Each structure stands twice: as C-alpha cells, then as structure tokens.
Amino acid sequence: MESKLEFNTHTPEGITTLFADVILPLPLPKLYTYRVPHDLNDKVSVGARAIVQFGKKKVLTSIIAAIHQQPPALYEAKYILDLLDEEPLMNSQQLKLYEWMSQYYMCNLGEVINAALPSGLKLNSESRIQLNPDYNNNLMAFTGQEEMIIQTLLVKESLSYNEAAHILGLKSINPIIKSLLAKERIILYEEIREKYVPKKIKKLKLSQEYNNKVKLEALFKELEKKPKQTEVLLRYLQQVPVFNNPALNKAGLERISFINLLESASAYNTLFKKNVFEEFELIVPRFGEGEETKFKDIKLTDAQEKAKTEILDSFKSKETVLLHGITGSGKTEVFIELIKNALDGGSQVLYLLPEIALTTQIVQRLRKVFGNKMGVYHSKFSDNERVDIWKGLISGKLSFIVGVRSSIFLPFDNLGLIIIDEEHETSYKQYDPAPRYHARDTSLMLAKLHNAKTVLGSATPSIESYYNAITERWGLVKLSKRFGDAELPEIILADTRKERRNKTMRNDFSGLLVNEIKSALERKEQAILFQNRRGYSPYISCEDCAYIPKCQNCDVSLTLHMYSQDLRCHYCGHTQAPPINCPACGSGRIKSVGFGTEKIEEDIKLFIPEANVQRMDLDTTRKKNSYENIIGDFEKGKTNILVGTQMVSKGLDFDKVSLVGIFDADRMIHFPDFRSHERAFQMMTQVSGRAGRKAKKGRVIIQTADTEQALLKKVISNDYEGLYKDEIAERENFLYPPFCRIIKLTFKDIDRKKVHQGAQGLSELLKERLGGRRILGPEAPLIDRLRNYYLMDIFIKIEKDISLKAVKFSVGQTIQTFLSDKDYKNSYIQADVDPV
Ligand code: ADP
Ligand code: ZN
Ligand code: ZN
C-alpha cells in the first residue's frame, strides 16, 4: 500500500513534522507511533480517532494518546491514513484513567479502550463497503472519485477501507466514503448493524393550509356526516388547541400515540390523504424522553438531614465517605440532595448502581427529580443509546449519569461527585474479558483525577470498605433508623432438620414457611421467596448407579430446566435433552436433586393453588423489558408471590411485602471462600430488607438445618459490627484483604497435562522471584474445566507495604518469559487483580 500512496515526505520550511502515539484496539503491550501528514497538522488532537494501517493487512481505528515531534527510534513511522474526529472523542482525564486501569489491572491499553468505547464509535478492521442493494436511483450526482469506487464495486462486490484508498491513490478517503453513504449508494457492512443511527420519531400536525380558524370551521361543516373523521379532528384540537394559538401546531403530536387514541385509524388516514394532516420526522436523543416533571419536593427527615450534613462536613477533610445506612433508611434521598448540590455548583455527577439494581424504581425516582439532565447507561441498552449518552455528555446536554460499572469510561470532564450505591455488590467487578476491573475501586481513581468527592452507600458494606472507614482513611456516616415508622423485620429460623424428623416438610418448604405464606396472602399481602440458584434442580442423578450428567465442555453438572425441558450448563450455555434412561446403566429411575427457582415456583403452585406466582431470574429476564414487567406486575398486585435469585434482593421497595422466605442459607454460609460469611450476611440482610416497609413490621423466615450458627444470630440481630469484628480478625490472622493484596493467575490450556505442568512451573518461577511464602498453589479451582479449557489457579499474596507496581512488573515479565516457551504457545495466563 505504501508504494502506491505517494506522500510528500519532504518537509517544507517552517512546517513541523508531528508524530502521534496511538492506542490500537488490540491486546498489545505498547503504543505505536505514526506520522501525521502535514495537512492534518491543524486537525489532529489527542483523544481523537485516527485510522491507521497495522501490519500488512489490517486497517484499524485507533485513539491518539499523544502528539509530539519525536520519530520512533526502532522503525520507520507509517502515516496516519485518516482522522475520524476533529473534536476529541475522549479527554485527557479519560486517557489517564484508562492508562491507570491497564497498569493496575495488568492488561493492555487496547483492551481497556475496547471495553470503554461503545461499538458504534469503533470502526473495526473488517468493515467493508459494498453497493447498497436498496439503492433507489435518487438522481444524485457522483464525483469522479465516487464513480471509480462504484465501478469497482460493480465488479468486485466489496472492498475494504484500504483497498478503496488504494484504488484512488488517496490517503484520506473518509470524506468520499461518507458522501457515498449519505447518497445511499453504498453500505458499510459488519458496521451497518452496529453503526450509530439517530433515533427518529414520526410526528403529525395540521398542514399549513388547514392551520387557521376559517379553514377548520369550514372543514367541520364538511365533515358533519363523517363522525369518525370529526373525532380525529377534535382529538387533535383537544391536545393542540390551535384555535387559541396557531403556533402550537408546529410541534405537532407523536404519530403512534395519537393513532392509539383514535377509534379509527383509517379515518385519520383519509384526512391525511386529503392533506388536512401532514407528517414529519424528528430526531430525538434517546435519553431525553421523560419531561422534567418537578415532583413534589421530598423533605429530608431529621436523621437524613443530619447524615447529609455529616457527609458534607466529612468532605472538608476527606475525599471519600461511607454511608452505612440500614435497608429502608432512605439513603437515596440523601444522595439526591448531595447530587442537587453538586449539579447546582456546576459540576457533573456519576451515580453508580450494580447491574441488577439499576431498576425502574430508582431510575424513575431520579428521573422525576433530575429530568433531562440525567442520562442512563445500562448494559441492556443498545449501542445507539450508549453513543447518545456519550455524545450527550460531551455536548453538555447531560450532566448527570446513572449507570452500571461501564459508565466509569464515559467522557466526564468536570466530575464533582461520584455516588456508589450498594458498594458491596460483586457485580461491580468485571470478570471477563480484560480489563478485570472493579468499578468501585476504579471510580476512586476517577474521582482523584477530577478532584471529585465520593460517597459509597450500603446497608452491608464490604469488609474492605468498612475497614477504610474505621481506620479513618474515609469518613463514616451512619443512618440507623428506617424511614417513617417502619421497623426492621422480625427474622425467624425454620429448623428444617427438626421438620424433616417430624415430617412437616413439604418438598423443600418448611411447614412454617408454607403457613406464613398462606396467612400473608389471606391478609392480602405479598411475599418474596429467595433461592440463589436458577433452574429446576442443580443436577439429576441415577438412583441405581448414581450417574450424574455433566457438561461436555466444563467440569460441572448440568442443571435441569423444566420450563424449557432441557439440561443446561450455566457456564458455557451447552444444552441437551434430559435422558429418559440412565446412559450408564440403563435404569429408568432418574431423580432430580436439589432445587432452584423453577422448582420453588412449581411447588408453591402445588401447595397454594390460589397464589399468583412469578419468577425473576436470569432465565425470565433476558429480554429488554421483562425485568420491568415482572416488577410492574408485582407492584400493581397482579402477582402476590415473587420467586427469585439475588435479583430480588436489591433496591426494590414494595409496600405490600410482609414476608420474605430464604432457602438454602446453609449453602451460602458454607461456600468454600474466605468471603462466604460476609456474602451470606449481605445476601440475607439485603433480601430481608424487602420485608415490611411503611408502618408495618415484616417477617423473614430463614430455612436452615443448623439453627445454632453464629452467623445466623448476627443476621437476626442485624449485627453488622459483630460480623465486621469477626471477619476482620480472621482476615488479619490468615492474611487476606484488606491486609494484603491478591493477584490471581489462571493458567489455561486445552491440554490437561500442559496445564498441570505449566502451572507448576510458573508457580516455581514466581516463588523464586517473589519468595515462596507469597505464592499459593497451583490449585484446581472449584470448576477446573470450562469451555474445554483446563484451569489451574495460582494466588499471589502481597503485603500492604510492598510496592504493588514492582510486583506486577515482575509478574508480567515472568508470564512473558514463560509464554515465550514454544511448549506453551497455546496456553493462556490470565491475571485478575483484587479478585472477588
Ligand atoms: P434505602 O435505599 O436506604 O434502602 P430508600 O431510599 O429506598 O432506602 O427509602 C425507603 C423508602 O422511604 C422509599 O420508599 C423512599 O421513597 C421513602 N423515603 C425515604 N426518605 C423519605 C423522605 N424524607 N420523605 C418521604 N419518603 C421518604
Ligand atoms: Zn444408572
Ligand atoms: Zn459447559
């Protein structure tokens, strides 16, 4: 390609030659330097996207990270092919944050960029152009260069970006491609699905001709015998009183909602054909639909007011404050006041919510207060919606973002406040792919870059965060009363061991729980049943030979799903039909073991036939609005029992829920992980918090086979401090976070022997370099085969006073040395810093 593209490499007097270091969207360890063509000198800026050639074949969208005059020492810099933005797409604080992430989380900058940019802002290397099959000769004129591309496409069918540049002998073909796209002569495929499309709505209004009193009165006369058409007209005038003010007609009405109001759509169509109405399209931002309905201002209670003042006081000497407020204490209202303050002061605000809790309830509440200033950034949103938010922030239309973990990547340029709600939630941590970042920890860095303040909120803070507060690195503010007269629920243990002995268990339900559900329903109240396991049963087993079907790709048993009639792997998605006879011994006696949400849903219908049950878990909420619909039905009382996984434990606030049932507490408590007690306490406390708000005391039934467990006592008495005391002592004793940092390395290969051998070798090398006591393992994880890859974990424990940076550097080098051995050329070593 270089041979054909003639650049003027001669530097005329007085013109500086610039170089740009760019981030490529690839897992590469460093930046690459390209030369800026002289005629782009004035346009090039840090944070803009540049198209560059990488290797012989690839043309990639990169981000310019730095501009300077230093040619690279080791290679001849290629030219930047084109600039996609004249205004930077990201600012220097963002780039700094991304660099910090790549260093801290041990991944490449390209991987961070990949996670950060909505795909609508990427142009990937595979994007090709072809003629638009729907081209309807719209008599647009084409330039000679455009004609050349068209002619080639008629013969060659498709061209890549650099082939097209080649043909024209041009370095900058972006304007030509853009123009051809605008004339609808070509399409960019691969991209066409993802490409940013602005949202349009169809509207209607009276045509110019009819927008006057005289003409309309005449029309009414004319329509005297046509009641349906008269209705259409009246409806319109009702909503748009043009008689009083003809200027109102300009904005018109949204077509779809108007038609829905009408008895007869065809009457409207007739009027449309008569040219009484005309239609037009309007581009609307996707975030701006809710109008700014100034909701009646809520007044903070004395306790809330006090918490707010304490937080603001704390900000005088601290950057970060933990708000420890019990469930139902009204933390959201305190946050709202803090957000108002920050926005009034002219700065931007980010409100982080964990994945699932980002629900209608909180968002609706915030929307009512903040209206169009607020943008919502959610993983279920389409790419177009995300690009709208990104652009809205750059243009200044939005100053307040409510979003899930990935919203830390957004182009803030003036953040004043970050709120991290439910800070203990593990969904703030990204597992796969890299960057394996924790949004809570990353936002503290984000806040630092902006000189912003941070408030973390939770009823059950993570041990790490509470430690930071107790040791006074952060401020600590408490809110220990529920709003109004609401009391915390009464928590009762159902002794399943005793009930089994007495034969009062019904399948997996204790008699106590069944009775409580029945009486709640009789009182016209609602119940939430929590089981943190989806599907029907976690496995099936042959009663004769104990055979258990396992996933062919992973080392896990297959979960039985009755609803879809299949066995499913919850790790790789593999499905197969449940066997009728045992594949091992041929026996027909196959039973299901254990129970998930599906089974609970089925059983409850059996025990209490009059109940209206709905289930909320990953399987029932895959579609975009299904989550909202389930919540809506429950809110309206269409359903009276909600069965679900941890999704039901968060952020929901229903008035009529007086009972919560918790299954399988023992499994949560005894999960083999140093955080299992913390997790179990959090889970049970959070889901209990859904019971009994507003004046009425709720009740929680926890089913357990061991009613004497110390942890359950703490849950019952809502003794968070007690939990913290026990846990922090344990962590100090056995050297776990926050007393050390952990890096988990996972060795992966499809060859089992390689993994064992390799992980052993790597561990020895690390021990040599970092000292034996800092390295644990290798050991096989709980699930040691996933998607056909065998896995072995190595844990690196680093004391607090040792430079993490130096350790990471050494670990990074060790990994590189190791992987350069051709024996391990198909192996992967994955690093997870601060795993949760
Ligand atoms: P938390 O997040 O701490 O669990 P919420 O913020 O959801 O608690 O508040 C619980 C309930 O109390 C909500 O229904 C909320 O609207 C209501 N509430 C909280 N504070 C006030 C207030 N000052 N005035 C009126 N209602 C309030
Ligand atoms: Zn068998
Ligand atoms: Zn699997």
Side-chain angles (χ1 to χ4, degrees):
M1 169 164 193
E2 285 99 304
S3 59
K4 281 269 176 90
L5 292 180
E6 292 294 322
F7 291 116
N8 183 3
T9 48
H10 168 74
T11 310
E13 288 296 315
I15 296 189
T16 348
T17 297
L18 297 176
F19 294 90
D21 297 340
V22 307
I23 310 165
L24 294 166
L26 300 171
L28 297 167
K30 59 187 176 94
L31 302 184
Y32 283 78
T33 305
Y34 286 82
R35 186 167 169 175
V36 180
H38 285 138
D39 48 339
L40 292 181
N41 269 12
D42 295 339
K43 294 182 179 149
V44 69
S45 60
V46 169
R49 291 170 300 167
I51 296 180
V52 297
Q53 184 173 4
F54 182 71
K56 284 224 158 47
K57 292 237 177 70
K58 283 197 176 113
V59 171
L60 299 171
T61 316
S62 67
I63 303 282
I64 300 176
I67 299 169
H68 52 80
Q69 295 179 37
Q70 195 62 46
L74 298 176
Y75 51 91
E76 175 95 15
K78 286 183 199 160
Y79 276 88
I80 282 178
L81 298 179
D82 209 350
L83 274 180
L84 283 177
D85 311 299
E86 299 200 357
E87 296 294 325
L89 195 65
M90 47 183 73
N91 58 48
S92 62
Q93 281 133 321
Q94 270 175 296
L95 283 168
K96 277 192 201 133
L97 183 75
Y98 300 174
E99 273 162 30
W100 177 85
M101 288 176 82
S102 97
Q103 186 268 323
Y104 188 87
Y105 290 108
M106 298 182 72
C107 63
N108 299 303
L109 202 42
E111 292 171 307
V112 180
I113 293 286
N114 245 346
L117 280 183
S119 49
L121 296 176
K122 295 177 201 161
L123 196 77
N124 67 34
S125 55
E126 266 80 48
S127 45
R128 297 176 71 84
I129 57 173
Q130 68 166 52
L131 292 177
N132 179 1
D134 299 326
Y135 174 65
N136 54 352
N137 196 342
N138 53 11
L139 302 177
M140 292 259 192
F142 297 105
T143 66
Q145 287 170 324
E146 290 170 4
E147 229 10 285
M148 251 167 101
I149 299 284
I150 295 168
Q151 289 307 320
T152 316
L153 285 173
L154 283 170
V155 188
K156 271 203 71 178
E157 279 197 348
S158 81
L159 288 172
S160 69
Y161 208 91
N162 56 344
E163 283 166 339
H166 210 127
I167 288 161
L168 298 177
L170 281 179
K171 54 192 167 162
S172 182
I173 57 162
N174 206 32
I176 298 165
I177 300 292
K178 268 192 187 152
S179 161
L180 281 168
L181 282 169
K183 292 174 185 170
E184 296 181 344
R185 189 65 184 96
I186 61 164
I187 56 175
L188 256 176
Y189 67 95
E190 270 293 0
E191 279 297 297
I192 200 78
R193 271 182 302 126
E194 302 286 8
K195 210 183 62 196
Y196 174 63
V197 193
K199 178 175 174 177
K200 290 179 187 159
I201 54 169
K202 240 192 181 159
K203 299 194 84 172
L204 56 85
K205 61 180 179 188
L206 285 176
S207 64
Q208 191 54 37
E209 191 189 341
Y210 281 90
N211 187 19
N212 70 68
K213 217 169 168 171
V214 182
K215 194 81 187 184
L216 281 173
E217 273 164 359
L219 182 62
F220 273 118
K221 279 230 173 70
E222 199 185 310
L223 296 179
E224 235 163 77
K225 298 232 169 67
K226 307 237 159 67
K228 282 184 183 160
Q229 291 181 41
T230 306
E231 186 232 337
V232 175
L233 210 53
L234 280 173
R235 281 270 181 201
Y236 185 82
L237 294 178
Q238 227 168 39
Q239 307 223 5
V240 189
V242 291
F243 269 132
N244 305 333
N245 181 1
L248 292 176
N249 186 53
K250 187 159 175 262
L253 291 174
E254 192 177 346
R255 187 177 184 279
I256 180 85
S257 33
F258 182 65
I259 302 264
N260 283 341
L261 283 177
L262 301 176
E263 252 168 64
S264 149
S266 68
Y268 165 77
N269 286 332
T270 313
L271 288 171
F272 175 68
K273 282 194 196 112
K274 280 193 206 160
N275 195 34
V276 174
F277 285 102
E278 61 184 38
E279 295 180 357
F280 60 105
E281 279 184 340
L282 190 71
I283 294 185
V284 290
R286 288 179 175 82
F287 47 78
E289 277 130 83
E291 311 94 73
E292 194 148 354
T293 47
K294 273 288 177 212
F295 202 54
K296 68 169 188 324
D297 268 341
I298 279 188
K299 209 172 151 331
L300 292 191
T301 62
D302 290 347
Q304 287 169 325
E305 193 63 55
K306 184 160 165 277
K308 178 190 150 190
T309 314
E310 283 175 15
I311 292 171
L312 292 174
D313 274 350
S314 221
F315 279 164
K316 289 181 190 149
S317 58
K318 302 219 157 75
E319 304 308 314
T320 310
V321 176
L322 175 66
L323 173 59
H324 179 203
I326 61 171
T327 55
S329 58
K331 295 184 286 296
T332 319
E333 299 304 331
V334 177
F335 293 151
I336 287 175
E337 289 304 311
L338 295 170
I339 295 166
K340 276 189 199 157
N341 265 4
L343 291 174
D344 288 346
S347 50
Q348 299 164 331
V349 177
L350 169 63
Y351 187 146
L352 280 173
L353 282 166
E355 192 65 32
I356 299 307
L358 178 62
T359 60
T360 29
Q361 287 195 330
I362 290 188
V363 170
Q364 276 169 3
R365 174 81 194 98
L366 294 170
R367 175 74 75 201
K368 273 174 185 155
V369 180
F370 298 103
N372 291 342
K373 290 198 270 294
M374 177 177 114
V376 181
Y377 204 67
H378 190 312
S379 61
K380 276 192 187 162
F381 283 1
S382 70
D383 211 65
N384 286 328
E385 290 168 306
R386 295 192 209 201
V387 176
D388 264 358
I389 300 280
W390 189 288
K391 299 200 159 161
L393 207 51
I394 290 183
S395 71
K397 276 194 195 125
L398 300 175
S399 48
F400 174 34
I401 301 293
V402 184
V404 293
R405 62 167 183 254
S406 54
S407 33
I408 52 141
F409 291 115
L410 286 168
F412 297 100
D413 56 12
N414 176 29
L415 257 181
L417 176 69
I418 302 179
I419 307 252
I420 307 169
D421 204 355
E422 312 284 0
E423 66 85 25
H424 63 278
E425 275 298 325
T426 48
S427 53
Y428 280 128
K429 170 87 178 175
Q430 163 139 330
Y431 291 95
D432 247 339
R436 297 183 176 82
Y437 66 102
H438 201 303
R440 176 191 62 210
D441 304 345
T442 307
S443 19
L444 295 181
M445 181 43 76
L446 176 63
K448 197 167 161 187
L449 289 168
H450 285 261
N451 262 325
K453 303 289 184 184
T454 307
V455 184
L456 300 96
S458 175
T460 53
S462 64
I463 299 294
E464 285 91 335
S465 292
Y466 207 69
Y467 175 78
N468 281 330
I470 288 282
T471 53
E472 296 188 4
R473 292 178 54 202
W474 299 354
L476 175 62
V477 173
K478 298 205 177 210
L479 203 47
S480 22
K481 264 221 297 265
R482 278 193 151 185
F483 171 74
D485 298 321
E487 281 179 78
L488 281 177
E490 173 188 16
I491 301 178
I492 302 166
L493 300 181
D495 187 338
T496 53
R497 192 158 30 171
K498 198 156 112 202
E499 287 216 20
R500 264 183 226 290
R501 224 171 26 230
N502 299 342
K503 305 218 177 326
T504 51
M505 288 293 284
R506 304 180 69 180
N507 291 351
D508 303 294
F509 284 71
S510 59
L512 178 62
L513 181 56
V514 174
N515 287 337
E516 288 286 339
I517 298 173
K518 279 185 180 157
S519 52
L521 297 192
E522 272 160 22
R523 294 191 305 267
K524 302 263 178 281
E525 291 163 355
Q526 294 173 306
I528 290 180
L529 301 179
F530 168 71
Q531 162 66 327
N532 209 9
R533 191 168 230 173
R534 66 195 166 92
Y536 188 83
S537 67
Y539 59 98
I540 59 173
S541 164
C542 170
E543 286 196 65
D544 290 317
C545 76
Y547 167 86
I548 296 171
K550 290 200 161 186
C551 175
Q552 62 190 32
N553 311 316
C554 314
D555 178 36
V556 286
S557 56
L558 293 167
T559 300
L560 176 64
H561 286 250
M562 278 304 208
Y563 186 72
S564 48
Q565 281 294 316
D566 56 16
L567 289 173
R568 216 178 289 166
C569 172
H570 284 184
Y571 290 85
C572 73
H574 165 78
T575 59
Q576 65 188 57
I580 295 164
N581 292 312
C582 171
C585 75
S587 156
R589 305 204 308 150
I590 294 185
K591 63 171 184 217
S592 62
V593 185
F595 56 102
T597 45
E598 269 189 23
K599 175 101 188 322
I600 290 182
E601 183 190 9
E602 188 183 283
D603 283 353
I604 200 78
K605 284 179 185 158
L606 209 67
F607 306 147
I608 310 177
E610 68 274 20
N612 245 323
V613 193
Q614 215 161 32
R615 173 163 55 93
M616 186 160 81
D617 56 27
L618 202 61
D619 300 310
T620 61
T621 54
R622 282 186 213 274
K623 289 205 204 96
K624 183 165 172 179
N625 288 319
S626 44
Y627 185 78
E628 284 77 1
N629 293 340
I630 296 173
I631 300 281
D633 284 353
F634 196 58
E635 230 162 16
K636 286 182 221 120
K638 275 194 199 163
T639 40
N640 39 28
I641 299 179
L642 190 60
V643 176
T645 53
Q646 36 140 0
M647 279 185 193
V648 300
S649 71
K650 287 166 214 170
L652 300 175
D653 177 15
F654 303 108
D655 289 344
K656 289 227 173 86
V657 175
S658 65
L659 179 72
V660 162
I662 299 177
F663 293 85
D664 239 1
D666 303 335
R667 194 172 49 90
M668 286 191 270
I669 297 172
H670 297 299
F671 193 77
D673 182 286
F674 75 90
R675 288 194 172 93
S676 62
H677 280 199
E678 177 188 350
R679 289 280 142 71
F681 181 91
Q682 286 164 345
M683 206 88 101
M684 288 189 262
T685 305
Q686 293 286 347
V687 67
S688 299
R690 306 309 123 209
R693 296 197 161 193
K694 306 259 162 82
K696 188 147 180 144
K697 192 172 170 114
R699 191 169 270 192
V700 178
I701 310 288
I702 300 179
Q703 299 200 152
T704 173
D706 179 7
T707 53
E708 291 306 309
Q709 294 174 91
L711 187 79
L712 288 174
K713 300 220 160 89
K714 294 194 190 95
V715 173
I716 291 171
S717 54
N718 192 37
D719 182 14
Y720 176 81
E721 265 83 18
L723 170 88
Y724 174 77
K725 247 173 55 204
D726 284 4
E727 290 302 296
I728 203 78
E730 192 122 315
R731 305 245 184 129
E732 189 158 23
N733 257 341
F734 297 100
L735 196 63
Y736 277 116
F739 299 99
C740 77
R741 296 186 174 279
I742 294 180
I743 301 173
K744 180 172 105 176
L745 300 181
T746 304
F747 203 105
K748 292 166 77 168
D749 198 302
I750 27 182
D751 181 342
R752 187 161 179 274
K753 251 186 36 218
K754 279 245 156 83
V755 172
H756 283 250
Q757 211 179 343
Q760 192 60 45
L762 179 64
S763 160
E764 272 153 31
L765 207 54
L766 286 167
K767 278 177 183 161
E768 243 167 66
R769 294 190 178 179
L770 297 172
R773 68 199 164 83
R774 297 204 176 96
I775 311 298
L776 303 181
E779 61 187 64
L782 217 53
I783 292 157
D784 67 356
R785 185 166 160 251
L786 264 186
R787 299 184 173 93
N788 285 320
Y789 277 87
Y790 288 91
L791 312 173
M792 283 296 251
D793 288 343
I794 296 170
F795 290 88
I796 307 172
K797 271 187 175 182
I798 309 149
E799 306 91 300
K800 264 291 168 78
D801 51 353
I802 287 191
S803 158
L804 196 59
K805 218 171 171 171
V807 172
K808 281 176 191 159
F809 183 75
S810 169
V811 172
Q813 286 212 317
T814 314
I815 292 177
Q816 268 186 1
T817 323
F818 207 85
L819 288 182
S820 59
D821 184 336
K822 68 175 185 330
D823 254 12
Y824 296 112
K825 67 176 195 295
N826 294 322
S827 307
Y828 294 90
I829 300 170
Q830 189 174 290
D832 187 356
V833 180
D834 304 334
V836 294

